[in-house]
Amino acid sequence: MNFSDAFDIANPEQYEWFDPILDCDTLLFVDPFLIFKSEDAKWRDAHGKMIKHFHDAFDLLARSQLNPKHQFFRRAWTQMLFPEPKEFRLGFGRKSADGSGTGAGLATRVIDAMCQAVKRGLEDIDHFEELGILVSGINRDRISDITCNLLKPELIEYTQHVCHSLGIPTVIVNIDHARFDESRNRWVQDSVTLPVDPGNGKPIILVPKSFLGELPALSSSNWKAFLDTSLRDDLNLEISTQVDKGDIVAVARKSPGHLREWIRLMELTSPKPYNVDDDPKLLVKWQKVARKAASEIDLGEIEIQCNEDLLKFAHKAVGLFRRWVEDLGGWRALWSSVADGISVPEPIMQLMLLGVMDDFCTRYDIRLDREVETGRGPVDFTFSGDNRMRVLLEIKKLTHGHFWNGLHVQTPIYMNGQGVRHAIFLAIRDSDTPAMRERWNTLEEEADRVCVKTGLMIEIARIDALPKKPASKETESASEENATEV
């Protein structure tokens, strides 16, 4: 359910605010650089507030003489605590819209990077996204979390304005980490009026569409490109497309002058937000598309009286997901960057599968449980007909570093942990290299070996998520091949 569905808002695309999915996070991120480039002075001032937060932390660290036991040092560390602001429904959530956010460990790494910067004479930052370059572990999701935490008062006010103008009801709720109290140098809770999810009563905070992107404009990947073109000779670097982010961090830390030069260039550019309304990568509308695909398929009367029947149903359900991915354009939602060959993480693929199959399973009175604990770790999905019938579904991207371990070791452990005899190992193809083609083609053979060794029943399912050419391009390619043969 979207926010607009919950409050009967027709044609939500006509408004400037983003219409979030309420029951799971959307793979979009608040990009602070888009706020910095806003034409609205109010939001530009808000960006300045974020920068001041980090300037104050730099000042505290300098005054502490970088002594971890000093009171000012501890205060600076407190300022860098940014729990996930789950009210926004954005980022890398899992099954629900709750997530982990920025914990103590990452706050420590941020403070360490700031201390290193102070030692090299860099005592402030112009865009806090620089931390995404100077600190391993700060990605687009974390930068978005930081932004939403620091601008939560402004975005609460923005949400209140939207609700007032559209007659959306609000209630008084307690918001953790609602604002940073500079007088006490700590994060505080506030009671505010906000709309709440009618399903669970959790508060909702809206953001402008114009602030949402796929990647922060200041990111390590962009910095890598700058290194490729501008610094290779100066720094005698061989930066390849496979460069480790740790290498980028090391170079950025050693070369604050070059980093600032690149930031100045970035300030002259005009970054564009993700087109939420057109949604070319199905980051926003995937749930509606997936459910439409599920609603169009009728398997007729299904009677499940034994595990073999449930296994057949599970294969049909996976087939439904396959149809959505391969034939209905769903593959677009499984790629964060087709151009760079980067598929989304497995948890996101699981969300997509859930979106397609959840209604489908409900229709046939089958329970689909996600991440059921086995005693040796969580299995991805369990189909349950009743307490006596269960089938496990384990999902692995073809390029996963422990792909074969998932089949040979993990799945049998999960099956034994839950006392079930039937499982489906679902491989999602996200690469077409020779090594991955061989892996793809030997799945059944490997599964047979596991079955013989363990006495368990593990069947293989495949989904080809490789990007598909438009029909016109396929026709052109076929014509070219025919012409060549002639």
Side-chain angles (χ1 to χ4, degrees):
M1 178 182 291
N2 286 72
F3 177 81
S4 59
D5 299 323
F7 296 101
D8 296 321
I9 305 299
N11 303 317
E13 61 276 359
Q14 68 181 299
Y15 301 106
E16 70 166 16
W17 45 270
F18 173 64
D19 182 23
I21 299 172
L22 297 184
D23 49 355
C24 57
D25 291 345
T26 300
L27 299 181
L28 290 174
F29 310 87
V30 177
D31 186 339
F33 204 67
L34 290 170
I35 300 174
F36 169 74
K37 301 293 284 191
S38 172
E39 295 180 359
D40 189 329
K42 176 187 71 175
W43 290 116
R44 291 199 301 274
D45 290 344
H47 186 277
K49 167 191 168 183
M50 292 191 290
I51 301 308
K52 181 180 182 301
H53 186 86
F54 284 91
H55 283 180
D56 290 347
F58 267 112
D59 181 60
L60 287 170
L61 287 174
R63 291 164 62 189
S64 75
Q65 297 184 340
L66 307 185
N67 179 3
K69 296 183 180 180
H70 197 286
Q71 180 183 4
F72 289 156
F73 189 100
R74 293 197 298 271
R75 286 186 179 181
W77 185 87
T78 299
Q79 287 191 217
M80 295 301 109
L81 287 172
F82 300 103
E84 180 175 5
K86 49 188 177 292
E87 303 88 358
F88 295 87
R89 276 70 171 178
L90 297 169
F92 283 128
R94 293 182 74 82
K95 182 176 179 180
S96 70
D98 295 329
S100 59
T102 307
L106 193 54
T108 299
R109 292 202 297 275
V110 171
I111 289 295
D112 174 66
M114 295 173 74
C115 289
Q116 296 298 324
V118 169
K119 290 177 182 178
R120 280 184 294 275
L122 182 67
E123 297 188 1
D124 62 4
I125 56 176
D126 294 334
H127 296 277
F128 81 87
E129 306 94 293
E130 292 176 45
L131 293 174
I133 300 158
L134 294 169
V135 186
S136 292
I138 292 192
N139 55 25
R140 53 186 174 177
D141 200 16
R142 303 299 195 183
I143 287 175
S144 181
D145 286 349
I146 292 170
T147 305
C148 290
N149 271 280
L150 291 173
L151 295 190
K152 198 176 282 187
E154 289 78 6
L155 291 167
I156 287 174
E157 182 181 344
Y158 174 81
T159 303
Q160 292 168 338
H161 174 74
V162 170
C163 291
H164 178 75
S165 64
L166 294 175
I168 297 172
T170 59
V171 299
I172 298 176
V173 292
N174 292 324
I175 300 295
D176 293 328
H177 229 252
R179 59 186 173 86
F180 189 78
D181 187 333
E182 294 186 0
S183 64
R184 293 188 291 169
N185 207 78
R186 66 183 63 177
W187 294 96
V188 297
Q189 183 187 83
D190 268 349
S191 294
V192 300
T193 56
L194 282 172
V196 298
D197 184 337
N200 55 30
K202 293 182 179 180
I204 304 164
I205 301 178
L206 303 174
V207 299
K209 295 175 187 174
S210 59
F211 296 165
L212 297 176
E214 295 180 76
L215 281 170
L218 296 183
S219 68
S220 61
S221 58
N222 288 343
W223 166 244
K224 178 183 71 176
F226 181 78
L227 286 174
D228 278 338
T229 57
S230 304
L231 300 181
R232 178 177 291 155
D233 293 336
D234 291 345
L235 302 174
N236 193 27
L237 290 175
E238 294 282 339
I239 304 293
S240 70
T241 56
Q242 302 300 318
V243 68
D244 184 85
K245 186 174 178 181
D247 297 333
I248 300 172
V249 170
V251 173
R253 286 182 170 184
K254 291 177 182 177
S255 311
H258 290 298
L259 180 59
R260 285 295 167 84
E261 176 190 349
W262 170 69
I263 291 170
R264 294 288 84 77
L265 292 174
M266 291 297 295
E267 288 180 343
L268 297 176
T269 65
S270 298
K272 295 182 179 179
Y274 181 75
N275 191 326
V276 170
D277 296 324
D278 289 346
D279 194 20
K281 296 188 177 181
L282 284 182
L283 299 179
V284 179
K285 300 174 184 175
W286 65 267
Q287 192 178 56
K288 291 182 178 179
V289 173
R291 286 180 174 169
K292 183 176 184 296
S295 68
E296 292 174 348
I297 293 182
D298 183 5
L299 297 182
E301 293 296 324
I302 294 180
E303 187 174 356
I304 300 175
Q305 297 182 337
C306 62
N307 250 48
E308 285 72 17
D309 293 339
L310 184 61
L311 184 63
K312 290 178 183 177
F313 174 87
H315 274 294
K316 289 180 179 180
V318 171
L320 173 64
F321 185 54
R322 181 186 303 110
R323 181 192 171 196
W324 178 66
V325 171
E326 297 181 359
D327 301 331
L328 299 177
W331 60 267
R332 295 182 181 88
L334 302 183
W335 292 87
S336 55
S337 174
V338 173
D340 296 329
I342 302 173
S343 58
V344 301
E346 275 178 16
I348 308 307
M349 291 183 174
Q350 293 170 12
L351 271 181
M352 304 300 176
L353 185 143
L354 186 67
V356 173
M357 294 169 59
D358 197 31
D359 287 351
F360 181 71
C361 288
T362 301
R363 205 187 323 157
Y364 291 97
D365 198 27
I366 300 298
R367 193 169 72 249
L368 180 64
D369 296 320
R370 181 148 182 248
E371 294 195 329
V372 177
E373 184 59 46
T374 65
R376 296 291 298 275
V379 68
D380 292 339
F381 287 97
T382 302
F383 293 90
S384 301
D386 59 29
N387 291 332
R388 295 172 293 110
M389 296 184 293
R390 283 180 294 172
V391 172
L392 303 187
L393 174 63
E394 181 71 10
I395 301 172
K396 278 286 181 287
K397 289 200 301 183
L398 197 63
T399 53
H400 194 290
H402 300 288
F403 180 83
W404 287 126
N405 184 72
L407 176 61
H408 288 276
V409 179
Q410 210 170 36
T411 300
I413 286 177
Y414 291 164
M415 295 175 72
N416 289 324
Q418 284 209 311
V420 302
R421 310 300 296 171
H422 296 78
I424 297 173
F425 185 84
L426 174 58
I428 299 183
R429 188 178 193 178
D430 60 337
S431 172
D432 195 36
T433 65
M436 292 301 105
R437 285 199 295 271
E438 181 179 358
R439 180 175 289 186
W440 183 252
N441 292 331
T442 57
L443 275 165
E444 279 81 4
E445 180 182 342
E446 295 296 326
D448 288 344
R449 291 178 182 175
V450 177
C451 293
V452 170
K453 180 179 178 180
T454 63
L456 300 171
M457 182 178 176
I458 302 175
E459 297 190 5
I460 295 298
R462 290 183 172 87
I463 292 177
D464 188 347
L466 291 176
K468 310 297 187 291
K469 294 180 180 179
S472 59
K473 296 293 185 182
E474 294 283 3
T475 303
E476 289 175 12
S477 298
S479 299
E480 290 174 3
E481 288 177 8
N482 291 335
T484 302
E485 291 175 3
V486 171

